Amino acid sequence: MTELNINSFLEDITSKLPNLSIKRNEPLKHYTYTETGGPADLYISPSLFDEVELILSKARTHQIPVTYLGNGSNIIIRDGGIRGIVLSLLNLTDIYHENQLVHAMSGAAIIDVSQYAHKQSLSGLEFACGIPGSVGGAIYMNAGAYGGEVKDCLKYIIAATNAGEILTIDAADLQLDYRKSIIQKNNYVVLKAVFELSPGEQSTIKLMMDDLTERRSSKQPLEYPSCGSVFQRPPGHFAGKLIQESDLQGYRIGGVEVSKKHAGFMVNVDHGTASDYEALIKHVQRTVKEKFDVELNCEVRIIGDHK
């Protein structure tokens, strides 16, 4: 990919979509929960399915790679940034329902979908009331908390391939597993999700959501920028407990430290960088491996170029 590819893509896409939001060399630290990340060559924010379809088609024509970004809650973008197009779907935010089916666009916050379901007296998304991610990200990772997972209530999605083809995929065909889905394998982009919920009492739903919100706020370091839970749960263990028992809480590299409140989190306490995050992750992995002979695998996605 060269500057010529980018310029020809821009000329092509703006002739078709003159009002499309496009930013050049946009710092991605403005769009991640860690507040880290270098620039994107192009940061594009479509508002319609048709725009996404055309962007992907033109990107393929001009041989420009595309990286999808939700609300940046479970991702670390390296300090060198991302080459090509970063496609943000945060303008796709509509939520509505038909009987017990809740339709949510990819860019909607999964917390907002949970709150919407509560207001409609629909149960099944209570577990998501505190997950700080977009609908697209929640599907991508099969997000879950407090015993619930996306796969428990997802009916189907609408997604786009890299070629811009629009697909409808049943939940049963998404291979949803612990922090995994076919979306990751095939590099699809989720445009919309449909959740199948159950009728419930508003007051009962609210009590459950209030309880989960309290549990989350009391245990997680929400006062600092972070990427959420860093590591997957190793079989037979809890990552946070292993890290705590390795005496790593409060351990810092640069401006990033292992949270003193919850050892499974790493928080940006003093203008930390993505390099600080990566170095701290590797240190924690080495230490836990040496002490307990347990491999810690990342739950957080780490993407982009080194500076």
Side-chain angles (χ1 to χ4, degrees), residues 251-280:
Y251 189 91
R252 183 188 297 193
I253 292 180
V256 179
E257 75 174 24
V258 178
S259 169
K260 300 182 182 76
K261 190 173 184 181
H262 189 311
F265 287 68
M266 294 180 182
V267 289
N268 189 346
V269 295
D270 187 18
H271 303 95
T273 65
S275 297
D276 294 340
Y277 266 101
E278 283 201 88
L280 187 56

PDB file of all heavy atoms in Angstrom, residues 251-280:
ATOM      1  N   TYR A 251       2.667  -3.305  40.565  1.00  0.00           N
ATOM      2  CA  TYR A 251       3.879  -3.316  39.739  1.00  0.00           C
ATOM      3  C   TYR A 251       3.651  -2.436  38.515  1.00  0.00           C
ATOM      4  O   TYR A 251       2.624  -2.534  37.847  1.00  0.00           O
ATOM      5  CB  TYR A 251       4.225  -4.741  39.304  1.00  0.00           C
ATOM      6  CG  TYR A 251       5.574  -4.848  38.626  1.00  0.00           C
ATOM      7  CD1 TYR A 251       6.721  -5.123  39.363  1.00  0.00           C
ATOM      8  CD2 TYR A 251       5.702  -4.654  37.254  1.00  0.00           C
ATOM      9  CE1 TYR A 251       7.967  -5.210  38.744  1.00  0.00           C
ATOM     10  CE2 TYR A 251       6.924  -4.734  36.625  1.00  0.00           C
ATOM     11  CZ  TYR A 251       8.056  -5.017  37.375  1.00  0.00           C
ATOM     12  OH  TYR A 251       9.289  -5.089  36.764  1.00  0.00           O
ATOM     13  N   ARG A 252       4.631  -1.569  38.235  1.00  0.00           N
ATOM     14  CA  ARG A 252       4.453  -0.575  37.175  1.00  0.00           C
ATOM     15  C   ARG A 252       5.595  -0.601  36.185  1.00  0.00           C
ATOM     16  O   ARG A 252       6.759  -0.755  36.554  1.00  0.00           O
ATOM     17  CB  ARG A 252       4.338   0.827  37.785  1.00  0.00           C
ATOM     18  CG  ARG A 252       4.069   1.920  36.755  1.00  0.00           C
ATOM     19  CD  ARG A 252       4.148   3.317  37.329  1.00  0.00           C
ATOM     20  NE  ARG A 252       3.143   3.582  38.356  1.00  0.00           N
ATOM     21  CZ  ARG A 252       2.865   4.800  38.806  1.00  0.00           C
ATOM     22  NH1 ARG A 252       3.506   5.859  38.312  1.00  0.00           N
ATOM     23  NH2 ARG A 252       1.952   4.963  39.745  1.00  0.00           N
ATOM     24  N   ILE A 253       5.243  -0.429  34.918  1.00  0.00           N
ATOM     25  CA  ILE A 253       6.220  -0.152  33.868  1.00  0.00           C
ATOM     26  C   ILE A 253       5.759   1.113  33.168  1.00  0.00           C
ATOM     27  O   ILE A 253       4.640   1.177  32.660  1.00  0.00           O
ATOM     28  CB  ILE A 253       6.338  -1.317  32.873  1.00  0.00           C
ATOM     29  CG1 ILE A 253       6.973  -2.540  33.552  1.00  0.00           C
ATOM     30  CG2 ILE A 253       7.186  -0.897  31.664  1.00  0.00           C
ATOM     31  CD1 ILE A 253       7.130  -3.745  32.644  1.00  0.00           C
ATOM     32  N   GLY A 254       6.610   2.125  33.166  1.00  0.00           N
ATOM     33  CA  GLY A 254       6.217   3.412  32.600  1.00  0.00           C
ATOM     34  C   GLY A 254       5.028   3.965  33.358  1.00  0.00           C
ATOM     35  O   GLY A 254       5.047   4.063  34.586  1.00  0.00           O
ATOM     36  N   GLY A 255       3.981   4.298  32.628  1.00  0.00           N
ATOM     37  CA  GLY A 255       2.794   4.866  33.265  1.00  0.00           C
ATOM     38  C   GLY A 255       1.668   3.872  33.475  1.00  0.00           C
ATOM     39  O   GLY A 255       0.551   4.265  33.808  1.00  0.00           O
ATOM     40  N   VAL A 256       1.947   2.566  33.281  1.00  0.00           N
ATOM     41  CA  VAL A 256       0.910   1.539  33.388  1.00  0.00           C
ATOM     42  C   VAL A 256       1.242   0.593  34.533  1.00  0.00           C
ATOM     43  O   VAL A 256       2.390   0.149  34.670  1.00  0.00           O
ATOM     44  CB  VAL A 256       0.778   0.744  32.068  1.00  0.00           C
ATOM     45  CG1 VAL A 256      -0.294  -0.330  32.192  1.00  0.00           C
ATOM     46  CG2 VAL A 256       0.458   1.692  30.917  1.00  0.00           C
ATOM     47  N   GLU A 257       0.250   0.284  35.364  1.00  0.00           N
ATOM     48  CA  GLU A 257       0.503  -0.613  36.489  1.00  0.00           C
ATOM     49  C   GLU A 257      -0.596  -1.666  36.614  1.00  0.00           C
ATOM     50  O   GLU A 257      -1.736  -1.477  36.159  1.00  0.00           O
ATOM     51  CB  GLU A 257       0.640   0.167  37.794  1.00  0.00           C
ATOM     52  CG  GLU A 257      -0.634   0.690  38.383  1.00  0.00           C
ATOM     53  CD  GLU A 257      -0.426   1.338  39.756  1.00  0.00           C
ATOM     54  OE1 GLU A 257       0.704   1.787  40.044  1.00  0.00           O
ATOM     55  OE2 GLU A 257      -1.415   1.406  40.517  1.00  0.00           O
ATOM     56  N   VAL A 258      -0.235  -2.773  37.263  1.00  0.00           N
ATOM     57  CA  VAL A 258      -1.219  -3.787  37.625  1.00  0.00           C
ATOM     58  C   VAL A 258      -2.091  -3.189  38.725  1.00  0.00           C
ATOM     59  O   VAL A 258      -1.590  -2.711  39.741  1.00  0.00           O
ATOM     60  CB  VAL A 258      -0.538  -5.076  38.121  1.00  0.00           C
ATOM     61  CG1 VAL A 258      -1.588  -6.094  38.550  1.00  0.00           C
ATOM     62  CG2 VAL A 258       0.370  -5.654  37.041  1.00  0.00           C
ATOM     63  N   SER A 259      -3.388  -3.190  38.511  1.00  0.00           N
ATOM     64  CA  SER A 259      -4.293  -2.514  39.430  1.00  0.00           C
ATOM     65  C   SER A 259      -4.184  -3.055  40.850  1.00  0.00           C
ATOM     66  O   SER A 259      -4.136  -4.272  41.063  1.00  0.00           O
ATOM     67  CB  SER A 259      -5.737  -2.668  38.930  1.00  0.00           C
ATOM     68  OG  SER A 259      -6.656  -2.242  39.912  1.00  0.00           O
ATOM     69  N   LYS A 260      -4.161  -2.135  41.790  1.00  0.00           N
ATOM     70  CA  LYS A 260      -4.159  -2.521  43.202  1.00  0.00           C
ATOM     71  C   LYS A 260      -5.549  -2.981  43.642  1.00  0.00           C
ATOM     72  O   LYS A 260      -5.704  -3.649  44.655  1.00  0.00           O
ATOM     73  CB  LYS A 260      -3.709  -1.348  44.074  1.00  0.00           C
ATOM     74  CG  LYS A 260      -2.303  -0.833  43.775  1.00  0.00           C
ATOM     75  CD  LYS A 260      -1.945   0.302  44.744  1.00  0.00           C
ATOM     76  CE  LYS A 260      -0.573   0.882  44.455  1.00  0.00           C
ATOM     77  NZ  LYS A 260      -0.574   1.757  43.272  1.00  0.00           N
ATOM     78  N   LYS A 261      -6.560  -2.612  42.869  1.00  0.00           N
ATOM     79  CA  LYS A 261      -7.939  -2.951  43.216  1.00  0.00           C
ATOM     80  C   LYS A 261      -8.335  -4.316  42.674  1.00  0.00           C
ATOM     81  O   LYS A 261      -9.071  -5.067  43.324  1.00  0.00           O
ATOM     82  CB  LYS A 261      -8.879  -1.871  42.664  1.00  0.00           C
ATOM     83  CG  LYS A 261     -10.316  -1.967  43.153  1.00  0.00           C
ATOM     84  CD  LYS A 261     -11.108  -0.746  42.685  1.00  0.00           C
ATOM     85  CE  LYS A 261     -12.526  -0.737  43.210  1.00  0.00           C
ATOM     86  NZ  LYS A 261     -13.284   0.453  42.734  1.00  0.00           N
ATOM     87  N   HIS A 262      -7.883  -4.644  41.464  1.00  0.00           N
ATOM     88  CA  HIS A 262      -8.203  -5.919  40.826  1.00  0.00           C
ATOM     89  C   HIS A 262      -7.006  -6.320  39.974  1.00  0.00           C
ATOM     90  O   HIS A 262      -6.692  -5.664  38.975  1.00  0.00           O
ATOM     91  CB  HIS A 262      -9.457  -5.777  39.959  1.00  0.00           C
ATOM     92  CG  HIS A 262      -9.991  -7.079  39.446  1.00  0.00           C
ATOM     93  ND1 HIS A 262      -9.207  -8.028  38.836  1.00  0.00           N
ATOM     94  CD2 HIS A 262     -11.251  -7.605  39.450  1.00  0.00           C
ATOM     95  CE1 HIS A 262      -9.952  -9.067  38.464  1.00  0.00           C
ATOM     96  NE2 HIS A 262     -11.197  -8.828  38.844  1.00  0.00           N
ATOM     97  N   ALA A 263      -6.354  -7.417  40.356  1.00  0.00           N
ATOM     98  CA  ALA A 263      -5.096  -7.808  39.718  1.00  0.00           C
ATOM     99  C   ALA A 263      -5.259  -8.213  38.258  1.00  0.00           C
ATOM    100  O   ALA A 263      -4.272  -8.274  37.522  1.00  0.00           O
ATOM    101  CB  ALA A 263      -4.458  -8.957  40.497  1.00  0.00           C
ATOM    102  N   GLY A 264      -6.494  -8.481  37.823  1.00  0.00           N
ATOM    103  CA  GLY A 264      -6.706  -8.852  36.428  1.00  0.00           C
ATOM    104  C   GLY A 264      -6.735  -7.674  35.479  1.00  0.00           C
ATOM    105  O   GLY A 264      -6.847  -7.849  34.273  1.00  0.00           O
ATOM    106  N   PHE A 265      -6.618  -6.454  36.032  1.00  0.00           N
ATOM    107  CA  PHE A 265      -6.662  -5.238  35.227  1.00  0.00           C
ATOM    108  C   PHE A 265      -5.309  -4.534  35.240  1.00  0.00           C
ATOM    109  O   PHE A 265      -4.578  -4.605  36.229  1.00  0.00           O
ATOM    110  CB  PHE A 265      -7.724  -4.276  35.768  1.00  0.00           C
ATOM    111  CG  PHE A 265      -9.137  -4.701  35.493  1.00  0.00           C
ATOM    112  CD1 PHE A 265      -9.677  -5.816  36.114  1.00  0.00           C
ATOM    113  CD2 PHE A 265      -9.940  -3.997  34.618  1.00  0.00           C
ATOM    114  CE1 PHE A 265     -10.977  -6.221  35.876  1.00  0.00           C
ATOM    115  CE2 PHE A 265     -11.247  -4.386  34.372  1.00  0.00           C
ATOM    116  CZ  PHE A 265     -11.766  -5.506  34.996  1.00  0.00           C
ATOM    117  N   MET A 266      -5.010  -3.830  34.158  1.00  0.00           N
ATOM    118  CA  MET A 266      -3.839  -2.951  34.090  1.00  0.00           C
ATOM    119  C   MET A 266      -4.337  -1.559  33.764  1.00  0.00           C
ATOM    120  O   MET A 266      -5.072  -1.368  32.793  1.00  0.00           O
ATOM    121  CB  MET A 266      -2.850  -3.432  33.025  1.00  0.00           C
ATOM    122  CG  MET A 266      -2.224  -4.768  33.348  1.00  0.00           C
ATOM    123  SD  MET A 266      -1.071  -5.302  32.061  1.00  0.00           S
ATOM    124  CE  MET A 266      -0.583  -6.899  32.730  1.00  0.00           C
ATOM    125  N   VAL A 267      -3.934  -0.590  34.584  1.00  0.00           N
ATOM    126  CA  VAL A 267      -4.490   0.751  34.478  1.00  0.00           C
ATOM    127  C   VAL A 267      -3.418   1.754  34.059  1.00  0.00           C
ATOM    128  O   VAL A 267      -2.247   1.634  34.418  1.00  0.00           O
ATOM    129  CB  VAL A 267      -5.149   1.180  35.804  1.00  0.00           C
ATOM    130  CG1 VAL A 267      -6.429   0.384  36.029  1.00  0.00           C
ATOM    131  CG2 VAL A 267      -4.218   0.994  36.993  1.00  0.00           C
ATOM    132  N   ASN A 268      -3.861   2.739  33.293  1.00  0.00           N
ATOM    133  CA  ASN A 268      -2.995   3.816  32.826  1.00  0.00           C
ATOM    134  C   ASN A 268      -3.039   4.923  33.871  1.00  0.00           C
ATOM    135  O   ASN A 268      -3.971   5.729  33.906  1.00  0.00           O
ATOM    136  CB  ASN A 268      -3.482   4.318  31.461  1.00  0.00           C
ATOM    137  CG  ASN A 268      -2.505   5.279  30.818  1.00  0.00           C
ATOM    138  OD1 ASN A 268      -1.590   5.790  31.456  1.00  0.00           O
ATOM    139  ND2 ASN A 268      -2.691   5.525  29.535  1.00  0.00           N
ATOM    140  N   VAL A 269      -2.038   4.961  34.748  1.00  0.00           N
ATOM    141  CA  VAL A 269      -2.060   5.888  35.873  1.00  0.00           C
ATOM    142  C   VAL A 269      -1.258   7.160  35.628  1.00  0.00           C
ATOM    143  O   VAL A 269      -1.407   8.145  36.354  1.00  0.00           O
ATOM    144  CB  VAL A 269      -1.543   5.207  37.171  1.00  0.00           C
ATOM    145  CG1 VAL A 269      -2.485   4.088  37.592  1.00  0.00           C
ATOM    146  CG2 VAL A 269      -0.127   4.675  36.992  1.00  0.00           C
ATOM    147  N   ASP A 270      -0.401   7.153  34.593  1.00  0.00           N
ATOM    148  CA  ASP A 270       0.445   8.335  34.387  1.00  0.00           C
ATOM    149  C   ASP A 270       0.941   8.410  32.944  1.00  0.00           C
ATOM    150  O   ASP A 270       2.098   8.166  32.651  1.00  0.00           O
ATOM    151  CB  ASP A 270       1.628   8.311  35.359  1.00  0.00           C
ATOM    152  CG  ASP A 270       2.459   9.588  35.313  1.00  0.00           C
ATOM    153  OD1 ASP A 270       1.954  10.616  34.796  1.00  0.00           O
ATOM    154  OD2 ASP A 270       3.613   9.568  35.776  1.00  0.00           O
ATOM    155  N   HIS A 271       0.027   8.745  32.030  1.00  0.00           N
ATOM    156  CA  HIS A 271       0.379   8.950  30.625  1.00  0.00           C
ATOM    157  C   HIS A 271       1.133   7.749  30.046  1.00  0.00           C
ATOM    158  O   HIS A 271       2.141   7.899  29.352  1.00  0.00           O
ATOM    159  CB  HIS A 271       1.216  10.226  30.456  1.00  0.00           C
ATOM    160  CG  HIS A 271       0.536  11.453  30.986  1.00  0.00           C
ATOM    161  ND1 HIS A 271       0.760  11.925  32.261  1.00  0.00           N
ATOM    162  CD2 HIS A 271      -0.368  12.279  30.429  1.00  0.00           C
ATOM    163  CE1 HIS A 271       0.022  13.010  32.457  1.00  0.00           C
ATOM    164  NE2 HIS A 271      -0.675  13.248  31.369  1.00  0.00           N
ATOM    165  N   GLY A 272       0.641   6.557  30.342  1.00  0.00           N
ATOM    166  CA  GLY A 272       1.257   5.344  29.821  1.00  0.00           C
ATOM    167  C   GLY A 272       1.088   5.209  28.322  1.00  0.00           C
ATOM    168  O   GLY A 272       0.238   5.858  27.702  1.00  0.00           O
ATOM    169  N   THR A 273       1.899   4.361  27.729  1.00  0.00           N
ATOM    170  CA  THR A 273       1.864   4.109  26.290  1.00  0.00           C
ATOM    171  C   THR A 273       1.484   2.655  26.034  1.00  0.00           C
ATOM    172  O   THR A 273       1.482   1.811  26.943  1.00  0.00           O
ATOM    173  CB  THR A 273       3.234   4.374  25.643  1.00  0.00           C
ATOM    174  OG1 THR A 273       4.181   3.415  26.162  1.00  0.00           O
ATOM    175  CG2 THR A 273       3.716   5.790  25.959  1.00  0.00           C
ATOM    176  N   ALA A 274       1.194   2.364  24.783  1.00  0.00           N
ATOM    177  CA  ALA A 274       0.908   0.979  24.416  1.00  0.00           C
ATOM    178  C   ALA A 274       2.130   0.103  24.663  1.00  0.00           C
ATOM    179  O   ALA A 274       2.001  -1.067  25.054  1.00  0.00           O
ATOM    180  CB  ALA A 274       0.474   0.908  22.954  1.00  0.00           C
ATOM    181  N   SER A 275       3.319   0.658  24.460  1.00  0.00           N
ATOM    182  CA  SER A 275       4.549  -0.101  24.733  1.00  0.00           C
ATOM    183  C   SER A 275       4.660  -0.449  26.210  1.00  0.00           C
ATOM    184  O   SER A 275       5.123  -1.545  26.563  1.00  0.00           O
ATOM    185  CB  SER A 275       5.778   0.705  24.291  1.00  0.00           C
ATOM    186  OG  SER A 275       5.753   0.926  22.895  1.00  0.00           O
ATOM    187  N   ASP A 276       4.248   0.463  27.073  1.00  0.00           N
ATOM    188  CA  ASP A 276       4.218   0.168  28.513  1.00  0.00           C
ATOM    189  C   ASP A 276       3.274  -1.002  28.787  1.00  0.00           C
ATOM    190  O   ASP A 276       3.596  -1.907  29.565  1.00  0.00           O
ATOM    191  CB  ASP A 276       3.749   1.387  29.308  1.00  0.00           C
ATOM    192  CG  ASP A 276       4.711   2.567  29.242  1.00  0.00           C
ATOM    193  OD1 ASP A 276       5.895   2.359  28.911  1.00  0.00           O
ATOM    194  OD2 ASP A 276       4.262   3.706  29.512  1.00  0.00           O
ATOM    195  N   TYR A 277       2.106  -0.978  28.166  1.00  0.00           N
ATOM    196  CA  TYR A 277       1.138  -2.069  28.343  1.00  0.00           C
ATOM    197  C   TYR A 277       1.727  -3.400  27.897  1.00  0.00           C
ATOM    198  O   TYR A 277       1.646  -4.407  28.614  1.00  0.00           O
ATOM    199  CB  TYR A 277      -0.145  -1.791  27.551  1.00  0.00           C
ATOM    200  CG  TYR A 277      -1.229  -1.113  28.347  1.00  0.00           C
ATOM    201  CD1 TYR A 277      -1.455   0.249  28.233  1.00  0.00           C
ATOM    202  CD2 TYR A 277      -2.031  -1.836  29.228  1.00  0.00           C
ATOM    203  CE1 TYR A 277      -2.458   0.876  28.968  1.00  0.00           C
ATOM    204  CE2 TYR A 277      -3.026  -1.218  29.965  1.00  0.00           C
ATOM    205  CZ  TYR A 277      -3.237   0.133  29.832  1.00  0.00           C
ATOM    206  OH  TYR A 277      -4.217   0.740  30.569  1.00  0.00           O
ATOM    207  N   GLU A 278       2.317  -3.417  26.720  1.00  0.00           N
ATOM    208  CA  GLU A 278       2.861  -4.678  26.208  1.00  0.00           C
ATOM    209  C   GLU A 278       3.985  -5.206  27.095  1.00  0.00           C
ATOM    210  O   GLU A 278       4.068  -6.412  27.364  1.00  0.00           O
ATOM    211  CB  GLU A 278       3.356  -4.499  24.782  1.00  0.00           C
ATOM    212  CG  GLU A 278       2.242  -4.462  23.747  1.00  0.00           C
ATOM    213  CD  GLU A 278       2.731  -4.801  22.355  1.00  0.00           C
ATOM    214  OE1 GLU A 278       2.743  -6.007  22.015  1.00  0.00           O
ATOM    215  OE2 GLU A 278       3.087  -3.876  21.617  1.00  0.00           O
ATOM    216  N   ALA A 279       4.854  -4.309  27.545  1.00  0.00           N
ATOM    217  CA  ALA A 279       5.962  -4.737  28.405  1.00  0.00           C
ATOM    218  C   ALA A 279       5.442  -5.280  29.729  1.00  0.00           C
ATOM    219  O   ALA A 279       5.952  -6.289  30.245  1.00  0.00           O
ATOM    220  CB  ALA A 279       6.908  -3.557  28.656  1.00  0.00           C
ATOM    221  N   LEU A 280       4.419  -4.640  30.296  1.00  0.00           N
ATOM    222  CA  LEU A 280       3.850  -5.101  31.558  1.00  0.00           C
ATOM    223  C   LEU A 280       3.140  -6.440  31.374  1.00  0.00           C
ATOM    224  O   LEU A 280       3.244  -7.337  32.226  1.00  0.00           O
ATOM    225  CB  LEU A 280       2.888  -4.049  32.110  1.00  0.00           C
ATOM    226  CG  LEU A 280       2.324  -4.313  33.512  1.00  0.00           C
ATOM    227  CD1 LEU A 280       3.439  -4.501  34.539  1.00  0.00           C
ATOM    228  CD2 LEU A 280       1.400  -3.165  33.933  1.00  0.00           C
TER     229      LEU A 280
END
